């Protein structure tokens, strides 16, 4: 008698921020303008929510506190459609630029804004631009102390990542105060080299097979792979911000490929929120 192995459910994740909050564009678009620029989040976000619905897929949305304070109706819509809401920090400042006090404030205020917006607990966190690296382990202690139960900020193999890419699959971190789950972004190992394959620009600019192969290889290890995308990556008509050629190529190149590639990915794999894998999130809230 053979026992059928349960198919792996991967993680589809979304970093929810406006088109003008992208780190690569920060030198060309001052933060002082954030409140006066025309918002566009709803365009890409609603396309994404519709594609996910068409494929019966649920995701984890890492949302900025800044967004929860200005567009709470969009955050409520994400939650009402069954997706998990988690924190992307307050205002998209890199963890490496924050003091411990500032980081605690960022994760505390974004958690409380998001919880007040959707009326459900927030237990997941992703650092802007995956900016937690070796030497920043203090951030994990603060996350746990502030009530978070998982982090998804480590992107093994990514340029500038300061972690040795030895842990490519989800794992538990034993901290002074308790256990924090780490959910790294998907990678593909060829020979002894680990390539970043989690989504975003890698998904738009490199062949589709990169991410597809990374998720298949995670399945062979019996592990979920974690994919990420931003709403602005589906918004082909977003205003163009003037920046050097290579920056604009990286940011705006391949936007038209995002939607068809997402359709292909969602047809090929099953996805669920990270919190569902960890047992911390149920799409149907229990009534007490
Ligand atoms: Zn971000």
């Amino acid at each position: 008698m053979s026992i059928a192995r349960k198919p792996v459910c991967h993680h589809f994740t979304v970093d929810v921020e406006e088109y003008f909050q992208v780190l690569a564009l920060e030198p060309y678009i001052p933060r002082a303008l954030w409140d006066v620029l025309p918002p566009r989040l709803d365009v890409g976000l609603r396309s994404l929510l519709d594609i996910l619905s068409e494929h019966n897929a649920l995701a984890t949305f890492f949302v900025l506190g800044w967004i929860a304070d200005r567009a709470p109706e969009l955050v409520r819509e994400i939650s009402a459609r069954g997706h998990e809401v988690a924190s992307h920090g307050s205002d998209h400042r890199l963890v490496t630029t924050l003091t411990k006090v500032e980081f605690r404030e960022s994760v505390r205020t974004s958690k409380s804004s998001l919880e007040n917006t959707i009326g459900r607990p927030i237990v997941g966190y992703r650092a802007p631009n995956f900016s937690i690296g070796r030497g920043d382990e203090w951030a994990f202690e603060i996350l746990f102390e502030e009530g978070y139960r998982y982090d998804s900020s480590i992107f093994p193999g990514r340029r500038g990542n300061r972690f040795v890419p030895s842990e490519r699959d989800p794992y538990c971190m034993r901290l002074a105060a308790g256990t924090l789950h780490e959910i790294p972004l998907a990678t593909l190992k060829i020979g002894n080299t680990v390539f970043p394959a989690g989504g975003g620009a890698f998904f738009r600019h490199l062949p589709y097979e990169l991410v597809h192969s990374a998720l298949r290889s995670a399945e062979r290890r019996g592990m979920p792979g974690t994919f990420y995308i931003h709403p602005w990556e589906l918004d082909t008509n977003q205003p163009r911000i003037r920046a050097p050629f290579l920056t604009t190529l990286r940011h705006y190149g391949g936007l038209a490929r995002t939607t068809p590639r997402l359709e292909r990915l969602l047809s090929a794999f099953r996805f669920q929120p990270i919190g569902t894998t960890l047992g911390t999130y149920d799409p149907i809230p229990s009534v007490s």
Side-chain angles (χ1 to χ4, degrees):
M1 187 178 76
S2 69
I3 298 171
R5 221 167 134 186
K6 225 175 142 189
V8 170
C9 279
H10 297 285
H11 302 139
F12 191 108
T13 68
V14 184
D15 291 359
V16 182
E17 61 209 40
E18 280 286 2
Y19 66 97
F20 47 78
Q21 293 175 316
V22 178
L23 190 82
L25 298 175
E26 196 174 335
Y28 317 105
I29 191 124
R31 283 172 174 266
L33 292 181
W34 282 10
D35 271 318
V36 294
L37 288 165
R40 293 274 305 179
L41 177 61
D42 60 320
V43 177
L45 183 65
R46 293 227 163 83
S47 301
L48 201 41
L49 289 170
D50 288 344
I51 293 171
L52 289 167
S53 293
E54 281 161 26
H55 292 273
N56 290 318
L58 291 178
T60 296
F61 286 72
F62 293 94
V63 183
L64 287 179
W66 191 94
I67 296 287
D69 295 340
R70 286 158 183 81
E73 70 290 352
L74 291 180
V75 187
R76 281 192 282 271
E77 187 175 339
I78 294 168
S79 179
R81 290 172 78 155
H83 303 289
E84 179 188 23
V85 173
S87 168
H88 196 34
S90 288
D91 61 359
H92 219 250
R93 287 182 205 273
L94 296 182
V95 175
T96 44
T97 66
L98 301 177
T99 64
K100 292 178 187 178
V101 171
E102 288 168 337
F103 178 72
R104 189 183 292 279
E105 182 66 14
S106 170
V107 299
R108 183 181 288 176
T109 55
S110 58
K111 186 177 195 295
S112 118
S113 283
L114 291 163
E115 287 178 343
N116 290 338
T117 302
I118 64 163
R120 297 193 67 168
I122 304 296
V123 300
Y125 174 78
R126 173 170 294 152
N129 215 37
F130 312 101
S131 55
I132 297 183
R134 192 169 288 285
D136 305 323
E137 288 83 355
W138 53 265
F140 299 129
E141 300 283 354
I142 291 175
L143 283 173
F144 189 86
E145 288 164 13
E146 291 299 322
Y148 291 88
R149 292 299 170 260
Y150 75 84
D151 170 76
S152 182
S153 304
I154 295 184
F155 201 161
R158 188 164 173 269
R159 191 167 58 90
N161 184 282
R162 288 167 291 132
F163 273 91
V164 179
S166 53
E167 300 277 10
R168 299 169 56 212
D169 294 318
Y171 61 97
C172 291
M173 259 185 256
R174 309 272 174 224
L175 306 172
T179 298
L180 187 76
H181 296 274
E182 176 58 41
I183 315 295
L185 277 296
T187 51
L188 186 63
K189 192 173 183 184
I190 302 174
N192 286 325
T193 308
V194 171
F195 292 93
F202 301 101
F203 187 60
R204 286 183 287 122
H205 289 288
L206 298 174
Y208 163 83
E209 284 69 23
L210 175 76
V211 171
H212 189 103
S213 302
L215 297 189
R216 283 279 178 256
S217 81
E219 280 175 10
R220 285 194 289 276
R221 301 192 298 277
M223 288 289 179
T226 299
F227 171 79
Y228 81 99
I229 201 82
H230 301 87
W232 59 261
E233 292 182 271
L234 288 83
D235 182 5
T236 50
N237 293 322
Q238 66 191 277
R240 296 316 198 240
I241 292 162
R242 205 188 281 260
F245 174 71
L246 281 179
T247 304
T248 52
L249 181 70
R250 182 174 190 271
H251 188 69
Y252 301 116
L255 292 179
R257 282 196 285 269
T258 306
T259 299
R261 286 187 174 190
L262 284 178
E263 300 271 7
R264 203 170 158 192
L265 192 76
L266 286 159
S267 300
F269 298 96
R270 295 179 58 198
F271 292 94
Q272 69 184 12
I274 292 172
T276 302
T277 301
L278 298 177
T280 56
Y281 175 75
D282 186 340
I284 303 159
S286 57
V287 179
S288 57

